[in-house]
Amino acid sequence: MSCRPPARPAAGRTWGQAVLAVARVSPEEPHRPTWSGDRMHAVNLRLARDLDLATVWPALWQLLPDAPRQQI
């Protein structure tokens, strides 16, 4: 399945608005049999693809309370 915009945008919509409407429904390509499974899988895909832990860790470390920091 593909998350492509419709062949023609709905009346009163531009192509950009149509693409944004599709992205709101499914930010990633669907791979699961249910809508909720696809949403959870999409979060996992985006974190794996977009999160660079080496870049985020120093800021995260400063925001953590003392108890979790001591456990680590």
Side-chain angles (χ1 to χ4, degrees):
M1 294 179 79
S2 176
C3 294
R4 288 180 278 167
R8 271 185 312 192
R13 277 193 177 169
T14 65
W15 282 106
Q17 290 170 331
V19 169
L20 288 175
V22 169
R24 270 192 307 247
V25 172
S26 180
E28 298 289 339
E29 191 76 21
H31 291 286
R32 300 290 189 262
T34 63
W35 176 85
S36 58
D38 267 337
R39 297 296 279 204
M40 291 170 39
H41 182 66
V43 170
N44 187 26
L45 286 175
R46 284 181 297 209
L47 284 174
R49 180 186 63 223
D50 300 338
L51 180 67
D52 180 18
L53 192 56
T55 303
V56 175
W57 183 254
L60 181 61
W61 184 256
Q62 291 177 354
L63 295 174
L64 284 175
D66 287 335
R69 286 168 63 172
Q70 289 174 354
Q71 289 178 357
I72 294 174

